[in-house]
Amino acid sequence: MKILIAGSGAGAQALAWKLLQDSAVEKVWLAPGNPATSCAPGMENIPVSSGDVEGLARAALELKADFTLITPTQTLATGVADYFKSRGLPIIAPTCEASRLEWSKGFSKEFMKKYQIPTPCSAICESQKQAQKFADTLPLPVVIKADGMVHGGTGVVIAQDRQHVQNTLEEFFTRNVGPVLVEEFIEGEEVSYTILFDGKHYLPLAESRDYKKLLDGDKGPNTGGMGAYSPVLSSAQHDAIITQIVEPCLSALNSEGIEYTGFLYFGVMIDKKGTPSLLEINCRLGNPEVFTILERLESPLHELFILTLQKQLDKANVRWSKLVSVALQISSEGYPFTERKGDEITLPLLSDTHVFHSSVVSDDGKLISNGGRVIALSSIALTFNEARKKLYETAKQVHFEGMHYRTDIALNINTPSECN
Ligand code: GLY
């Protein structure tokens, strides 16, 4: 089996790594891939940009790929799935219309409200005045989100006082990020719940918890995610998410006539009473959640994709490791506001954690940082303490100028006696 993956980040690399553990998978091409995927056994980079829809389709056809996976949201938004389907090329990705659930917060909020899916009270505002007026009606803190895609997690701010609300709204409208979503803050435990959906049947993946703040102790600005661990949920919380969030969303997609194939990520907040609220929907695996999920997957990944294409995911017999997993992102100086690039990276030659390239390029044989989140690490072990130990031992051996990582990922988390 031969598979094409669009992407150059750590998520694309992790999918390729996992797929190649299946003996049935002989080749994974990455478009365009990264320095790690250029030399890993079974992987090959091809010079096609992850956003070049026609180039990807041409490559899938010429290379006779059995199917294509798309990792960047921006590529989903260009309608890559529609283009592939119109040419009869198998692809695991939602259509352009369906991927609006991720790239328009306004669209996804309207969708949640229309179908009474529990979600924090919010308004989508076209002007600063309107946003300020609505924010004044909410208790502190207030959540402020750009409607569209904003790089590096800078599109979400949790404003702690009235001055911060005002400054953030002023900054968002001056930056011209488009409409702004103002939302009630819900206190609780955040969970990233992801399913694979074939349009008829869904398969829940291992759930994960992401650390969105830049600094230890959940301080500092929001980011795309600095670390994660899995598993997270009790079986009661799991059931509540399925019955109150996942199944209502899938039936709403059906009612709207929105065809969907691929990953669906539900960013859920579980409040103190155990009630889940849907904060956001993404049309892909989360990052860094993807590493914790794939670490714990024991079944052949390619089979899940084949069943998705055949609309037979109900026949999947997925197995998850009883071990626990932890992931860490190492970012560049200035992230998430600026993305310092060009620093030479040193990586450990040997490590018992997995090392993925988030934003790395190669120059004359050297690895060079090329964006905000630079290196991702993931590990699996019997306990969170052990997994953390392995992860942070490796992190200490990664070096580049200005690098930063949180030191408290999965700290003081009890290892559940029973995993999903
Ligand atoms: N870690 C959150 C996301 O991928 O959107």
Side-chain angles (χ1 to χ4, degrees), residues 102 192 210-212 223-226 265 280 282 284-289 373:
E102 173 163 357
S192 305
D210 181 21
Y211 290 70
K212 293 224 166 58
T223 69
M226 298 302 291
Y265 164 116
E280 62 173 343
N282 290 330
R284 55 178 169 82
L285 286 160
N287 182 343
E289 294 93 322
R373 290 183 296 176

Side-chain angles (χ1 to χ4, degrees), residues 253-270:
L253 282 174
N254 192 30
S255 304
E256 290 290 299
I258 298 178
E259 202 189 307
Y260 199 102
T261 310
F263 294 107
L264 254 180
Y265 164 116
F266 302 93
V268 176
M269 187 66 87
I270 302 180

